[in-house]
Structures are given as structure tokens and as C-alpha cells.
Amino acid sequence: GLVDPGDVDAVLVRGVGDHSLRRRRRGGEDGDGRSEEEVKEQTGIDVNTSTDGTSASLPADWPGLPVPEGQITSALSVSGTFVITVLVDDEAAIESVISQLLGQGYTEESRADLGGLKSVLLRGSEWTATVGWLPDEETGKFIVNYGVVAVEK
């Protein structure tokens, strides 16, 4: 199959807990300096960050699901699996996306609060979405990692 939803949770927890991903992806002091184009050419993974790590855009093939209102700081797409990181002002922006997905017929499969790190797994007829978030101590905002994988048929 494609990707097990449990694997997406692991990716999201790792990504949410590692705020330095932006520095590494843009070739900062702990990065390897490869460009987004080189990464895509060598791995098939479409990575999108800005040169200063503050903004990016949704992958061109994003499945049209709602996105939290905020600043997309990174986005990647590989073989129909998507992960975006969004910096949002408050948890209301996150809960709004969850409510929109529920309104589109998604079901909430699980919800966890691990002492500040929160996640919700939602399943629809075509996509499984995992939304994970935690407070960003540097900015007072929230870092959201949002993963989407196709439902296995």
C-alpha cells in the first residue's frame, strides 16, 4: 500500500517536535545545502520552503483539503502523500480545519494530548488526515504539522 496512517503520525510527531527543520531544509548551519530542485531530482520528494524559512506554498497536487489560516513554513509531497507545516496564531485556526473536515464527512479516529503536543487523526472516503500541533515558545504561536495520505482501497 501507500503509507500506513500510523507512519504519518510518527512523521508528524517528529516534525512538530523538531522546529529546526526549516533551518535544515534551507541549507542552514545544520543542513546539507542541497536545493529543493536537487532534493526532488534525487529523491522524488517535492520540498517547498522559502530561502528564509518563513513561508512556502502548498504542493501543486495538494488534494484541496482545508488548510489552517497561517503561514505555511514548509511543504512536501511524495507519491500522493503530503505534509505541510503551518505557523498559526492560535488553536482556533487548528480546530477550524478539524471542524471543516468533520463537516465534509470525515470521522475523528483518535485524539491525543501528550502534555502540549496534540494530534487528531481524521479519516475520509479518499484521504486520511493527521493534524498535530504544539505551542512555539519562540513566537507564542502554534506549529502545526498536517499530513494527508490516500485511503487504501
Side-chain angles (χ1 to χ4, degrees):
L2 291 173
V3 174
D4 182 279
D7 294 339
V8 173
D9 284 333
V11 168
L12 289 172
V13 168
R14 180 175 172 266
V16 167
D18 186 1
H19 190 50
S20 67
L21 282 174
R22 285 183 278 165
R23 287 191 295 277
R24 284 202 293 275
R25 286 202 182 117
R26 69 176 187 262
E29 62 187 54
D30 50 356
D32 62 9
R34 291 190 295 171
S35 71
E36 293 168 358
E37 292 80 20
E38 289 173 309
V39 170
K40 185 171 184 177
E41 182 179 298
Q42 294 172 9
T43 66
I45 299 172
D46 185 10
V47 177
N48 182 315
T49 60
S50 68
T51 56
D52 65 3
T54 59
S55 65
S57 58
L58 287 174
D61 53 347
W62 177 259
L65 298 179
V67 175
E69 186 175 323
Q71 183 177 32
I72 299 172
T73 58
S74 67
L76 65 91
S77 167
V78 60
S79 302
T81 298
F82 308 90
V83 178
I84 62 171
T85 303
V86 184
L87 188 62
V88 301
D89 289 335
D90 53 41
E91 288 185 280
I94 304 160
E95 292 295 343
S96 173
V97 166
I98 294 167
S99 293
Q100 289 175 57
L101 289 168
L102 292 170
Q104 292 177 10
Y106 281 72
T107 57
E108 186 173 309
E109 299 285 315
S110 68
R111 183 178 285 257
D113 183 343
L114 306 170
L117 172 61
K118 299 178 181 181
S119 71
V120 177
L121 174 66
L122 301 131
R123 188 173 314 272
S125 60
E126 295 182 44
W127 302 99
T128 297
T130 303
V131 182
W133 69 97
L134 81 158
D136 181 3
E137 294 175 8
E138 292 177 26
T139 65
K141 297 183 179 191
F142 290 84
I143 302 165
V144 181
N145 269 13
Y146 185 3
V148 178
V149 297
V151 171
E152 291 189 31
K153 304 269 178 184

